[in-house]
Amino acid sequence: MFHISDVKKYMRCRRLYCLDQFAERKPFHPFVRLDEQVSDLVAKKLGVTDPFIGSIGDDAGKAMAAMEDHDWLIKARFEYDRLRVKVPFLHRNEDGWDLYFMFIGLFPHHNDMLFYCSMVWVLDHLDIKLKNMYVVHLNSEYVRQDELDVDQLFIVSDCFYNGKNNPTMPVVKAVRSKMQNIQPLLAEMEAGFDEIPAPVRTQHCTGRQKCSYYEECFPQEIAQDDNSILTLIGAQHRYEMQNDGINYLKDADEKRIEGSRQQYAQIMADRQGGLYCDKLALQSWLKRLKYPITCIDFEWERYAIPPYPGMHPYDVLLFEYSIHIIHEDHSVDQKVYLSIHDQREDFARSLLNDIPKEGTVLAYNAEGAEKIRISELAETFPQYRDGLLAINERMEDLQLPFESGMVYDVRMRGQWSLKKIMAMMDDPGYQDLDIQQGMDAVFEWRRLDEAGELDDSDPRVQELKDYCGMDSYAMTVVLEWLYEISR
Ligand code: SF4
């Protein structure tokens, strides 16, 4: 028996599907926090009464039998030809049934049609007459008050949305136009494999999310030199060039590169012995920084369903910051703030208090993170708006010299994350920390938050402070290095 997730995996990559059969199941930590039983909330929204509620392991005939004497079915399990599906909501509509898909996001686009079509394919083959189809999704404009209002929280849409998030094709039409017979595919999956298929590089290997087997599939890539042509950022023809014997950045074929500033910096770095620095541009950028320079880093949790007043679906809750203040005499002060539950107002007040009233505020990826978070705080707490927005006006992005191609060191291997750059420095940096990644910090905080009290003797408190503190400390080290190479 297969589930839709198996079919999707199989379609993505046969090898991935096989490897996953033998892989040890790891605990699943969602990137977005979802504490509520969404189907219970949607049931309220839809006004469901006296439903049949399916469970894991239900016999395939149980839901079919329940259709005789229930008008609503929730999470009912149906099976046809080895494919088992969990149908979110079915509602009797005269001589047929209305199907409600659930999308725990803001705008369902018609880009996951295998999921929708597989479910309908099973129901069609069981002779269940489907009439209307809807997608229940979260309302991006909903702002939570003291209580959660499920009527406002969800939208029941009979259309998918386009790239600009406007309603477009009706769900029924989109699904019906993409229906295909998946029987041959299921038969192929059932037949299995004599051996694990060899890796074949496709867009699925590094697409939206890098495949977890990438290193296993392409170990030769990990072993590449720092100045390998494969590190050329955004180069569509890098594998082609390598196959033609062009192994290093310095030898890149000018006719087969896109010619971005980053690529220029990479090629020049290799030609100049490993480091490229556009000194004039870097000096000009560094001149904009004024002491005291405050390096800041935030940590936050993202919630699908807003848990606190004033929050929209998928809003974030700031819970930690670390700042390193570099004074003109090069002395450095550090401050860390950590809270659990909803302390946004205290966070805003404390931030205003801790950041000096003058000088530059520096963040890594400021435009994509800290500036946005500060603007959100300013909107939520208008009483602190002016002070918070003044911080944004003084903010510079430490990522800029790297992402704009002012600076490149081949040891960056085509990446410019703070950790990657820090790894080049003569500093133990992140190596000794218990928490190594931003999402690990969030998972640790989730446990603290659920425990209900912020106990300083809990080792997780210090681990979280160390991790966030390392980000703002790393910025001071990287900044110092930029000053050095600009001279
Ligand atoms: S890295 Fe590519 S080839 Fe390897 S399992 Fe993943 S998707 Fe398949």
Side-chain angles (χ1 to χ4, degrees), residues 54-95:
S55 312
I56 298 172
D58 273 356
D59 180 83
K62 197 170 172 186
M64 292 298 285
M67 294 179 95
E68 298 295 323
D69 43 22
H70 287 83
D71 287 344
W72 280 100
L73 281 82
I74 303 178
K75 296 192 269 190
R77 269 66 171 185
F78 293 93
E79 268 179 55
Y80 178 74
D81 188 21
R82 294 159 282 194
L83 184 60
R84 182 175 170 94
V85 295
K86 178 170 82 171
V87 178
F89 287 86
L90 271 177
H91 184 218
R92 189 186 305 280
N93 179 352
E94 297 174 350
D95 60 336

mmCIF file of all heavy atoms in Angstrom, residues 54-95:
data_model
loop_
_atom_site.group_PDB
_atom_site.id
_atom_site.type_symbol
_atom_site.label_atom_id
_atom_site.label_comp_id
_atom_site.label_asym_id
_atom_site.label_seq_id
_atom_site.Cartn_x
_atom_site.Cartn_y
_atom_site.Cartn_z
ATOM 1 N N GLY A 54 -12.035 9.674 10.804
ATOM 2 C CA GLY A 54 -11.150 8.554 10.502
ATOM 3 C C GLY A 54 -9.899 8.568 11.365
ATOM 4 O O GLY A 54 -9.562 9.581 11.978
ATOM 5 N N SER A 55 -9.234 7.390 11.424
ATOM 6 C CA SER A 55 -8.003 7.281 12.212
ATOM 7 C C SER A 55 -6.970 6.491 11.422
ATOM 8 O O SER A 55 -7.317 5.735 10.511
ATOM 9 C CB SER A 55 -8.231 6.510 13.513
ATOM 10 O OG SER A 55 -9.341 6.976 14.174
ATOM 11 N N ILE A 56 -5.712 6.624 11.881
ATOM 12 C CA ILE A 56 -4.622 5.851 11.271
ATOM 13 C C ILE A 56 -4.969 4.368 11.412
ATOM 14 O O ILE A 56 -5.458 3.932 12.461
ATOM 15 C CB ILE A 56 -3.288 6.110 12.016
ATOM 16 C CG1 ILE A 56 -2.897 7.573 11.903
ATOM 17 C CG2 ILE A 56 -2.168 5.231 11.495
ATOM 18 C CD1 ILE A 56 -1.718 7.972 12.759
ATOM 19 N N GLY A 57 -4.756 3.594 10.373
ATOM 20 C CA GLY A 57 -4.963 2.146 10.453
ATOM 21 C C GLY A 57 -6.392 1.722 10.236
ATOM 22 O O GLY A 57 -6.711 0.519 10.325
ATOM 23 N N ASP A 58 -7.288 2.651 9.958
ATOM 24 C CA ASP A 58 -8.690 2.274 9.693
ATOM 25 C C ASP A 58 -8.762 1.284 8.539
ATOM 26 O O ASP A 58 -8.045 1.433 7.540
ATOM 27 C CB ASP A 58 -9.499 3.521 9.273
ATOM 28 C CG ASP A 58 -10.052 4.280 10.461
ATOM 29 O OD1 ASP A 58 -9.877 3.800 11.605
ATOM 30 O OD2 ASP A 58 -10.651 5.355 10.255
ATOM 31 N N ASP A 59 -9.645 0.332 8.668
ATOM 32 C CA ASP A 59 -9.903 -0.595 7.564
ATOM 33 C C ASP A 59 -10.441 0.218 6.378
ATOM 34 O O ASP A 59 -11.178 1.195 6.557
ATOM 35 C CB ASP A 59 -10.946 -1.620 8.038
ATOM 36 C CG ASP A 59 -11.259 -2.597 6.955
ATOM 37 O OD1 ASP A 59 -10.478 -3.551 6.826
ATOM 38 O OD2 ASP A 59 -12.248 -2.385 6.221
ATOM 39 N N ALA A 60 -10.055 -0.210 5.165
ATOM 40 C CA ALA A 60 -10.415 0.568 3.972
ATOM 41 C C ALA A 60 -11.923 0.716 3.797
ATOM 42 O O ALA A 60 -12.396 1.697 3.222
ATOM 43 C CB ALA A 60 -9.815 -0.079 2.733
ATOM 44 N N GLY A 61 -12.695 -0.250 4.320
ATOM 45 C CA GLY A 61 -14.144 -0.179 4.120
ATOM 46 C C GLY A 61 -14.862 0.691 5.144
ATOM 47 O O GLY A 61 -16.051 1.004 4.994
ATOM 48 N N LYS A 62 -14.143 1.098 6.198
ATOM 49 C CA LYS A 62 -14.804 1.802 7.305
ATOM 50 C C LYS A 62 -15.401 3.146 6.855
ATOM 51 O O LYS A 62 -16.553 3.468 7.174
ATOM 52 C CB LYS A 62 -13.790 2.017 8.430
ATOM 53 C CG LYS A 62 -14.413 2.341 9.751
ATOM 54 C CD LYS A 62 -13.369 2.304 10.848
ATOM 55 C CE LYS A 62 -13.965 2.831 12.142
ATOM 56 N NZ LYS A 62 -12.979 2.941 13.201
ATOM 57 N N ALA A 63 -14.621 3.916 6.112
ATOM 58 C CA ALA A 63 -15.112 5.225 5.666
ATOM 59 C C ALA A 63 -16.262 5.036 4.665
ATOM 60 O O ALA A 63 -17.241 5.798 4.693
ATOM 61 C CB ALA A 63 -13.980 6.022 5.036
ATOM 62 N N MET A 64 -16.147 4.019 3.800
ATOM 63 C CA MET A 64 -17.215 3.764 2.821
ATOM 64 C C MET A 64 -18.529 3.470 3.561
ATOM 65 O O MET A 64 -19.601 3.972 3.196
ATOM 66 C CB MET A 64 -16.856 2.575 1.917
ATOM 67 C CG MET A 64 -15.697 2.824 0.974
ATOM 68 S SD MET A 64 -15.999 4.141 -0.200
ATOM 69 C CE MET A 64 -17.106 3.374 -1.351
ATOM 70 N N ALA A 65 -18.403 2.688 4.622
ATOM 71 C CA ALA A 65 -19.609 2.342 5.394
ATOM 72 C C ALA A 65 -20.164 3.587 6.095
ATOM 73 O O ALA A 65 -21.390 3.777 6.174
ATOM 74 C CB ALA A 65 -19.272 1.253 6.402
ATOM 75 N N ALA A 66 -19.249 4.445 6.562
ATOM 76 C CA ALA A 66 -19.693 5.639 7.298
ATOM 77 C C ALA A 66 -20.467 6.599 6.396
ATOM 78 O O ALA A 66 -21.265 7.413 6.883
ATOM 79 C CB ALA A 66 -18.477 6.353 7.895
ATOM 80 N N MET A 67 -20.260 6.487 5.102
ATOM 81 C CA MET A 67 -20.964 7.397 4.183
ATOM 82 C C MET A 67 -22.461 7.115 4.157
ATOM 83 O O MET A 67 -23.255 7.946 3.728
ATOM 84 C CB MET A 67 -20.396 7.266 2.759
ATOM 85 C CG MET A 67 -18.959 7.731 2.670
ATOM 86 S SD MET A 67 -18.275 7.573 1.038
ATOM 87 C CE MET A 67 -18.560 9.215 0.418
ATOM 88 N N GLU A 68 -22.821 5.934 4.622
ATOM 89 C CA GLU A 68 -24.248 5.571 4.654
ATOM 90 C C GLU A 68 -25.011 6.429 5.662
ATOM 91 O O GLU A 68 -26.135 6.844 5.416
ATOM 92 C CB GLU A 68 -24.416 4.097 5.059
ATOM 93 C CG GLU A 68 -23.788 3.105 4.088
ATOM 94 C CD GLU A 68 -24.471 3.132 2.739
ATOM 95 O OE1 GLU A 68 -25.702 3.296 2.719
ATOM 96 O OE2 GLU A 68 -23.758 3.032 1.711
ATOM 97 N N ASP A 69 -24.393 6.662 6.831
ATOM 98 C CA ASP A 69 -25.178 7.338 7.865
ATOM 99 C C ASP A 69 -24.531 8.607 8.458
ATOM 100 O O ASP A 69 -24.887 9.038 9.543
ATOM 101 C CB ASP A 69 -25.539 6.355 8.997
ATOM 102 C CG ASP A 69 -24.376 5.480 9.381
ATOM 103 O OD1 ASP A 69 -23.223 5.894 9.091
ATOM 104 O OD2 ASP A 69 -24.593 4.429 9.941
ATOM 105 N N HIS A 70 -23.554 9.195 7.747
ATOM 106 C CA HIS A 70 -23.001 10.483 8.181
ATOM 107 C C HIS A 70 -23.022 11.458 7.002
ATOM 108 O O HIS A 70 -22.766 11.062 5.863
ATOM 109 C CB HIS A 70 -21.551 10.342 8.661
ATOM 110 C CG HIS A 70 -21.427 9.675 9.990
ATOM 111 N ND1 HIS A 70 -21.441 8.312 10.148
ATOM 112 C CD2 HIS A 70 -21.283 10.194 11.233
ATOM 113 C CE1 HIS A 70 -21.302 8.013 11.421
ATOM 114 N NE2 HIS A 70 -21.216 9.147 12.113
ATOM 115 N N ASP A 71 -23.286 12.731 7.320
ATOM 116 C CA ASP A 71 -23.238 13.756 6.269
ATOM 117 C C ASP A 71 -21.852 14.382 6.170
ATOM 118 O O ASP A 71 -21.532 15.039 5.186
ATOM 119 C CB ASP A 71 -24.265 14.866 6.557
ATOM 120 C CG ASP A 71 -25.673 14.373 6.292
ATOM 121 O OD1 ASP A 71 -25.805 13.323 5.627
ATOM 122 O OD2 ASP A 71 -26.629 15.015 6.774
ATOM 123 N N TRP A 72 -21.074 14.239 7.249
ATOM 124 C CA TRP A 72 -19.712 14.780 7.243
ATOM 125 C C TRP A 72 -18.717 13.669 7.541
ATOM 126 O O TRP A 72 -18.938 12.862 8.446
ATOM 127 C CB TRP A 72 -19.541 15.847 8.332
ATOM 128 C CG TRP A 72 -20.069 17.209 8.000
ATOM 129 C CD1 TRP A 72 -21.255 17.749 8.410
ATOM 130 C CD2 TRP A 72 -19.425 18.206 7.196
ATOM 131 N NE1 TRP A 72 -21.390 19.019 7.921
ATOM 132 C CE2 TRP A 72 -20.276 19.337 7.168
ATOM 133 C CE3 TRP A 72 -18.218 18.276 6.499
ATOM 134 C CZ2 TRP A 72 -19.951 20.505 6.478
ATOM 135 C CZ3 TRP A 72 -17.903 19.429 5.814
ATOM 136 C CH2 TRP A 72 -18.763 20.536 5.806
ATOM 137 N N LEU A 73 -17.637 13.641 6.790
ATOM 138 C CA LEU A 73 -16.532 12.723 7.083
ATOM 139 C C LEU A 73 -15.257 13.560 7.206
ATOM 140 O O LEU A 73 -14.995 14.425 6.371
ATOM 141 C CB LEU A 73 -16.324 11.698 5.964
ATOM 142 C CG LEU A 73 -17.296 10.515 5.955
ATOM 143 C CD1 LEU A 73 -18.607 10.885 5.287
ATOM 144 C CD2 LEU A 73 -16.677 9.321 5.264
ATOM 145 N N ILE A 74 -14.514 13.314 8.279
ATOM 146 C CA ILE A 74 -13.257 14.055 8.500
ATOM 147 C C ILE A 74 -12.112 13.053 8.538
ATOM 148 O O ILE A 74 -12.201 12.023 9.209
ATOM 149 C CB ILE A 74 -13.298 14.825 9.839
ATOM 150 C CG1 ILE A 74 -14.494 15.785 9.892
ATOM 151 C CG2 ILE A 74 -12.005 15.587 10.075
ATOM 152 C CD1 ILE A 74 -14.632 16.543 11.214
ATOM 153 N N LYS A 75 -11.060 13.369 7.844
ATOM 154 C CA LYS A 75 -9.844 12.537 7.794
ATOM 155 C C LYS A 75 -10.173 11.068 7.488
ATOM 156 O O LYS A 75 -9.581 10.136 8.058
ATOM 157 C CB LYS A 75 -9.061 12.625 9.112
ATOM 158 C CG LYS A 75 -8.519 14.019 9.391
ATOM 159 C CD LYS A 75 -7.529 14.041 10.516
ATOM 160 C CE LYS A 75 -8.159 14.304 11.856
ATOM 161 N NZ LYS A 75 -7.270 14.555 12.946
ATOM 162 N N ALA A 76 -11.139 10.873 6.616
ATOM 163 C CA ALA A 76 -11.545 9.496 6.282
ATOM 164 C C ALA A 76 -10.505 8.865 5.356
ATOM 165 O O ALA A 76 -10.000 9.517 4.448
ATOM 166 C CB ALA A 76 -12.913 9.523 5.605
ATOM 167 N N ARG A 77 -10.197 7.566 5.617
ATOM 168 C CA ARG A 77 -9.205 6.861 4.799
ATOM 169 C C ARG A 77 -9.907 6.056 3.712
ATOM 170 O O ARG A 77 -10.812 5.260 4.014
ATOM 171 C CB ARG A 77 -8.387 5.902 5.667
ATOM 172 C CG ARG A 77 -7.126 6.504 6.254
ATOM 173 C CD ARG A 77 -7.369 7.591 7.241
ATOM 174 N NE ARG A 77 -6.134 7.975 7.931
ATOM 175 C CZ ARG A 77 -6.052 8.834 8.902
ATOM 176 N NH1 ARG A 77 -7.148 9.453 9.336
ATOM 177 N NH2 ARG A 77 -4.898 9.119 9.473
ATOM 178 N N PHE A 78 -9.485 6.277 2.452
ATOM 179 C CA PHE A 78 -10.025 5.523 1.322
ATOM 180 C C PHE A 78 -8.856 4.869 0.589
ATOM 181 O O PHE A 78 -7.737 5.406 0.581
ATOM 182 C CB PHE A 78 -10.760 6.464 0.355
ATOM 183 C CG PHE A 78 -12.016 7.073 0.937
ATOM 184 C CD1 PHE A 78 -11.965 8.314 1.559
ATOM 185 C CD2 PHE A 78 -13.240 6.407 0.866
ATOM 186 C CE1 PHE A 78 -13.106 8.885 2.104
ATOM 187 C CE2 PHE A 78 -14.388 6.984 1.409
ATOM 188 C CZ PHE A 78 -14.318 8.223 2.029
ATOM 189 N N GLU A 79 -9.164 3.743 -0.062
ATOM 190 C CA GLU A 79 -8.103 3.048 -0.795
ATOM 191 C C GLU A 79 -8.590 2.580 -2.142
ATOM 192 O O GLU A 79 -9.741 2.114 -2.272
ATOM 193 C CB GLU A 79 -7.696 1.780 -0.016
ATOM 194 C CG GLU A 79 -6.550 1.992 0.937
ATOM 195 C CD GLU A 79 -6.224 0.707 1.689
ATOM 196 O OE1 GLU A 79 -5.979 -0.326 1.034
ATOM 197 O OE2 GLU A 79 -6.265 0.774 2.926
ATOM 198 N N TYR A 80 -7.719 2.685 -3.118
ATOM 199 C CA TYR A 80 -8.008 2.074 -4.416
ATOM 200 C C TYR A 80 -6.677 1.683 -5.049
ATOM 201 O O TYR A 80 -5.744 2.506 -5.098
ATOM 202 C CB TYR A 80 -8.774 3.049 -5.332
ATOM 203 C CG TYR A 80 -9.023 2.450 -6.692
ATOM 204 C CD1 TYR A 80 -9.995 1.452 -6.862
ATOM 205 C CD2 TYR A 80 -8.259 2.827 -7.791
ATOM 206 C CE1 TYR A 80 -10.196 0.862 -8.103
ATOM 207 C CE2 TYR A 80 -8.458 2.244 -9.027
ATOM 208 C CZ TYR A 80 -9.428 1.263 -9.174
ATOM 209 O OH TYR A 80 -9.621 0.667 -10.396
ATOM 210 N N ASP A 81 -6.625 0.461 -5.531
ATOM 211 C CA ASP A 81 -5.439 -0.046 -6.239
ATOM 212 C C ASP A 81 -4.137 0.333 -5.519
ATOM 213 O O ASP A 81 -3.290 1.024 -6.077
ATOM 214 C CB ASP A 81 -5.424 0.473 -7.688
ATOM 215 C CG ASP A 81 -4.306 -0.200 -8.481
ATOM 216 O OD1 ASP A 81 -3.850 -1.281 -8.058
ATOM 217 O OD2 ASP A 81 -3.874 0.390 -9.486
ATOM 218 N N ARG A 82 -3.979 -0.060 -4.313
ATOM 219 C CA ARG A 82 -2.759 0.120 -3.505
ATOM 220 C C ARG A 82 -2.506 1.553 -3.041
ATOM 221 O O ARG A 82 -1.521 1.826 -2.370
ATOM 222 C CB ARG A 82 -1.497 -0.347 -4.280
ATOM 223 C CG ARG A 82 -1.456 -1.813 -4.563
ATOM 224 C CD ARG A 82 -0.530 -2.108 -5.713
ATOM 225 N NE ARG A 82 -1.173 -1.800 -6.982
ATOM 226 C CZ ARG A 82 -0.712 -2.199 -8.154
ATOM 227 N NH1 ARG A 82 0.404 -2.885 -8.211
ATOM 228 N NH2 ARG A 82 -1.347 -1.906 -9.262
ATOM 229 N N LEU A 83 -3.353 2.493 -3.437
ATOM 230 C CA LEU A 83 -3.132 3.873 -2.985
ATOM 231 C C LEU A 83 -4.136 4.224 -1.888
ATOM 232 O O LEU A 83 -5.348 4.071 -2.066
ATOM 233 C CB LEU A 83 -3.275 4.860 -4.150
ATOM 234 C CG LEU A 83 -2.979 6.319 -3.794
ATOM 235 C CD1 LEU A 83 -1.546 6.497 -3.293
ATOM 236 C CD2 LEU A 83 -3.201 7.238 -4.997
ATOM 237 N N ARG A 84 -3.616 4.647 -0.757
ATOM 238 C CA ARG A 84 -4.463 5.009 0.393
ATOM 239 C C ARG A 84 -4.385 6.520 0.586
ATOM 240 O O ARG A 84 -3.283 7.087 0.623
ATOM 241 C CB ARG A 84 -3.942 4.283 1.643
ATOM 242 C CG ARG A 84 -4.755 4.517 2.913
ATOM 243 C CD ARG A 84 -4.161 3.628 3.991
ATOM 244 N NE ARG A 84 -4.675 3.906 5.304
ATOM 245 C CZ ARG A 84 -5.703 3.286 5.883
ATOM 246 N NH1 ARG A 84 -6.341 2.330 5.223
ATOM 247 N NH2 ARG A 84 -6.075 3.577 7.100
ATOM 248 N N VAL A 85 -5.545 7.143 0.701
ATOM 249 C CA VAL A 85 -5.557 8.607 0.877
ATOM 250 C C VAL A 85 -6.352 8.979 2.129
ATOM 251 O O VAL A 85 -7.264 8.251 2.536
ATOM 252 C CB VAL A 85 -6.161 9.327 -0.363
ATOM 253 C CG1 VAL A 85 -5.298 9.133 -1.587
ATOM 254 C CG2 VAL A 85 -7.595 8.899 -0.636
ATOM 255 N N LYS A 86 -5.942 10.108 2.701
ATOM 256 C CA LYS A 86 -6.675 10.654 3.857
ATOM 257 C C LYS A 86 -7.399 11.891 3.350
ATOM 258 O O LYS A 86 -6.753 12.872 2.959
ATOM 259 C CB LYS A 86 -5.695 11.007 4.969
ATOM 260 C CG LYS A 86 -6.360 11.611 6.181
ATOM 261 C CD LYS A 86 -5.394 11.719 7.339
ATOM 262 C CE LYS A 86 -4.523 12.928 7.243
ATOM 263 N NZ LYS A 86 -3.704 13.197 8.423
ATOM 264 N N VAL A 87 -8.726 11.839 3.345
ATOM 265 C CA VAL A 87 -9.512 12.936 2.762
ATOM 266 C C VAL A 87 -9.906 13.892 3.888
ATOM 267 O O VAL A 87 -10.578 13.487 4.839
ATOM 268 C CB VAL A 87 -10.761 12.371 2.052
ATOM 269 C CG1 VAL A 87 -11.615 13.495 1.499
ATOM 270 C CG2 VAL A 87 -10.334 11.426 0.937
ATOM 271 N N PRO A 88 -9.483 15.168 3.798
ATOM 272 C CA PRO A 88 -9.697 16.087 4.941
ATOM 273 C C PRO A 88 -11.168 16.222 5.331
ATOM 274 O O PRO A 88 -11.536 15.960 6.477
ATOM 275 C CB PRO A 88 -9.127 17.413 4.447
ATOM 276 C CG PRO A 88 -8.212 17.067 3.339
ATOM 277 C CD PRO A 88 -8.729 15.816 2.709
ATOM 278 N N PHE A 89 -12.016 16.649 4.383
ATOM 279 C CA PHE A 89 -13.441 16.834 4.695
ATOM 280 C C PHE A 89 -14.282 16.436 3.488
ATOM 281 O O PHE A 89 -14.002 16.877 2.367
ATOM 282 C CB PHE A 89 -13.756 18.308 5.021
ATOM 283 C CG PHE A 89 -13.230 18.739 6.357
ATOM 284 C CD1 PHE A 89 -11.929 19.200 6.487
ATOM 285 C CD2 PHE A 89 -14.024 18.675 7.494
ATOM 286 C CE1 PHE A 89 -11.422 19.582 7.710
ATOM 287 C CE2 PHE A 89 -13.533 19.062 8.728
ATOM 288 C CZ PHE A 89 -12.225 19.516 8.832
ATOM 289 N N LEU A 90 -15.307 15.641 3.736
ATOM 290 C CA LEU A 90 -16.305 15.327 2.708
ATOM 291 C C LEU A 90 -17.660 15.693 3.290
ATOM 292 O O LEU A 90 -17.952 15.370 4.452
ATOM 293 C CB LEU A 90 -16.311 13.826 2.388
ATOM 294 C CG LEU A 90 -15.370 13.298 1.303
ATOM 295 C CD1 LEU A 90 -15.500 11.787 1.209
ATOM 296 C CD2 LEU A 90 -15.632 13.940 -0.061
ATOM 297 N N HIS A 91 -18.477 16.357 2.484
ATOM 298 C CA HIS A 91 -19.804 16.756 2.972
ATOM 299 C C HIS A 91 -20.853 16.356 1.957
ATOM 300 O O HIS A 91 -20.742 16.666 0.765
ATOM 301 C CB HIS A 91 -19.850 18.277 3.198
ATOM 302 C CG HIS A 91 -21.141 18.753 3.772
ATOM 303 N ND1 HIS A 91 -21.729 19.936 3.401
ATOM 304 C CD2 HIS A 91 -21.967 18.198 4.692
ATOM 305 C CE1 HIS A 91 -22.852 20.108 4.066
ATOM 306 N NE2 HIS A 91 -23.029 19.062 4.856
ATOM 307 N N ARG A 92 -21.900 15.678 2.447
ATOM 308 C CA ARG A 92 -22.961 15.231 1.529
ATOM 309 C C ARG A 92 -23.639 16.446 0.897
ATOM 310 O O ARG A 92 -23.988 17.413 1.563
ATOM 311 C CB ARG A 92 -23.998 14.426 2.316
ATOM 312 C CG ARG A 92 -25.021 13.720 1.426
ATOM 313 C CD ARG A 92 -26.104 13.054 2.262
ATOM 314 N NE ARG A 92 -25.560 12.132 3.247
ATOM 315 C CZ ARG A 92 -25.162 10.895 2.975
ATOM 316 N NH1 ARG A 92 -25.250 10.433 1.747
ATOM 317 N NH2 ARG A 92 -24.696 10.116 3.933
ATOM 318 N N ASN A 93 -23.837 16.381 -0.399
ATOM 319 C CA ASN A 93 -24.527 17.442 -1.125
ATOM 320 C C ASN A 93 -25.534 16.749 -2.046
ATOM 321 O O ASN A 93 -25.174 16.296 -3.145
ATOM 322 C CB ASN A 93 -23.503 18.272 -1.922
ATOM 323 C CG ASN A 93 -24.153 19.380 -2.724
ATOM 324 O OD1 ASN A 93 -25.380 19.462 -2.809
ATOM 325 N ND2 ASN A 93 -23.338 20.223 -3.329
ATOM 326 N N GLU A 94 -26.761 16.595 -1.565
ATOM 327 C CA GLU A 94 -27.837 15.889 -2.293
ATOM 328 C C GLU A 94 -27.341 14.513 -2.746
ATOM 329 O O GLU A 94 -27.022 13.695 -1.913
ATOM 330 C CB GLU A 94 -28.340 16.744 -3.454
ATOM 331 C CG GLU A 94 -28.966 18.055 -2.945
ATOM 332 C CD GLU A 94 -29.341 19.006 -4.063
ATOM 333 O OE1 GLU A 94 -28.966 18.786 -5.215
ATOM 334 O OE2 GLU A 94 -30.015 20.006 -3.745
ATOM 335 N N ASP A 95 -27.201 14.323 -4.076
ATOM 336 C CA ASP A 95 -26.823 12.977 -4.540
ATOM 337 C C ASP A 95 -25.307 12.826 -4.683
ATOM 338 O O ASP A 95 -24.842 11.852 -5.285
ATOM 339 C CB ASP A 95 -27.492 12.695 -5.898
ATOM 340 C CG ASP A 95 -27.055 13.725 -6.942
ATOM 341 O OD1 ASP A 95 -26.649 14.837 -6.537
ATOM 342 O OD2 ASP A 95 -27.112 13.411 -8.143
#
